[in-house]
Amino acid sequence: MKLNAILIDDEPNNLDHLHFLLDKHCPDVQVAGTAQNVEDGLALIAASRPDLLFLDIQMPGKDGFDLLKALPDRELEVIFVTAYEQYGIQAVKFSAIDYLLKPIDTAELTEAVHKVSERVKNKRRNDQLENLLELIDKKTDKTSHRISLPMMRETRLVLTSDIIRCEAANNYTSFFLTTGETLIVSKPIYEYEELLADYGFLRCHQSHLVNSGHVLSLIKEDSGYLLLSRDHRVPVSRQRKDAVKKALGF
């Protein structure tokens, strides 16, 4: 199955380089056209109705997010391409949307294209894109923000307030929810420590990240542990105990 793609970047050299990499390493991608600004990009998207959009974030005038907000139909897939981890990348990560840093690594490019191919093949709706735009627009307060958790068979959008705690196991992270469900994601816990820091989550142990909104008490016995909602009990490491007590007001 061929993916019909459009490339949008204000730098012609970047467009040429990405086009070259796609021709060489991604035979399933057919580049339908390129554009150097939001207005031309929107016209090209309307004319060719692509499956996939490679989109630079920072461009003169209107940026990549402005383009996405202007789309009447957001069923297409998006891979962001950016020169550095600039404004908006935190929201992109939070919504589990693929992005590539320039200069583009070919292995990361082929992996991102493969994931898009699987989603298009299975006709999965791009709810992650809608979630990203909500975060960028700040239409919702943080209590209603949802984080995208990519699992083996699906990507779940979960309210941060519904996450009781996270637990690490090698390069996997388990999310324990208020519903009683446990969701397992193949990403290390330190990535989520960064993403969830602004949502009241604390790293209390090398293997544990907890939602302070679900902490009921600090138990001093057995070297100390936190009692959380649904009777979850999480150890507190000696190195982190003072910081945890200060953050929780104990």
Side-chain angles (χ1 to χ4, degrees):
M1 175 185 173
K2 282 275 189 182
L3 288 173
N4 192 32
I6 284 175
L7 322 181
I8 301 178
D9 193 308
D10 62 300
E11 294 288 342
N13 289 342
N14 291 336
L15 290 172
D16 292 342
H17 182 59
L18 179 54
H19 201 321
F20 169 78
L21 292 178
L22 290 169
D23 286 344
K24 185 175 181 180
H25 300 285
C26 303
D28 291 337
V29 175
Q30 176 68 47
V31 177
T34 64
Q36 292 179 237
N37 56 61
V38 168
E39 289 75 14
D40 291 346
L42 288 169
L44 188 56
I45 290 169
S48 57
R49 300 185 61 82
D51 303 301
L52 172 60
L53 180 62
F54 286 90
L55 181 61
D56 188 16
I57 296 177
Q58 194 68 41
M59 293 182 284
K62 294 181 179 179
D63 62 22
F65 298 131
D66 291 324
L67 181 144
L68 294 177
K69 293 172 191 175
L71 289 176
D73 180 1
R74 296 171 185 158
E75 292 301 310
L76 79 173
E77 295 289 332
V78 177
I79 296 175
F80 289 101
V81 185
T82 181
Y84 48 89
E85 298 210 24
Q86 58 196 15
Y87 161 76
I89 283 296
Q90 194 79 347
V92 170
K93 290 180 180 179
F94 207 79
S95 297
I97 294 177
D98 283 304
Y99 72 97
L100 303 169
L101 290 177
K102 303 171 186 175
I104 296 171
D105 180 272
T106 54
E108 292 178 359
L109 172 63
T110 54
E111 181 184 357
V113 168
H114 173 72
K115 287 193 281 187
V116 166
S117 296
E118 289 299 305
R119 287 197 294 271
V120 171
K121 189 186 304 179
N122 294 307
K123 296 181 179 178
R124 295 176 190 165
R125 182 182 168 187
N126 199 350
D127 291 328
Q128 293 152 260
L129 188 54
E130 296 293 339
N131 191 57
L132 168 66
L133 294 177
E134 283 188 10
L135 292 170
I136 293 296
D137 280 345
K138 298 179 180 176
K139 289 179 180 176
T140 55
D141 61 71
K142 285 189 176 180
T143 59
S144 59
H145 280 184
R146 298 184 298 168
I147 186 169
S148 295
L149 301 179
M151 299 180 293
M152 187 174 293
R153 300 191 178 202
E154 63 172 332
T155 297
R156 287 276 294 276
L157 287 166
V158 176
L159 286 168
T160 57
S161 57
D162 285 346
I163 302 169
I164 297 174
R165 66 182 182 93
C166 311
E167 182 173 345
N170 298 320
N171 285 325
Y172 290 84
T173 303
S174 296
F175 289 77
F176 296 84
L177 308 184
T178 55
T179 59
E181 290 180 280
T182 302
L183 308 180
I184 301 175
V185 177
S186 58
K187 286 186 178 183
I189 197 168
Y190 69 80
E191 290 194 23
Y192 290 104
E193 179 182 10
E194 178 187 353
L195 289 177
L196 293 168
D198 290 337
Y199 294 84
F201 283 72
L202 302 171
R203 189 78 173 268
C204 61
H205 185 278
Q206 182 179 353
S207 301
H208 297 278
L209 185 65
V210 300
N211 185 342
S212 60
H214 287 285
V215 174
L216 303 179
S217 59
L218 173 63
I219 309 299
K220 296 180 180 179
E221 61 189 44
D222 297 331
S223 300
Y225 65 89
L226 293 173
L227 178 63
L228 309 177
S229 303
R230 296 186 66 91
D231 203 34
H232 287 268
R233 297 168 188 239
V234 176
V236 179
S237 68
R238 289 181 181 178
Q239 298 91 332
R240 299 176 189 266
K241 184 174 289 186
D242 288 342
V244 169
K245 289 173 68 176
K246 182 177 179 181
L248 295 173
F250 288 138

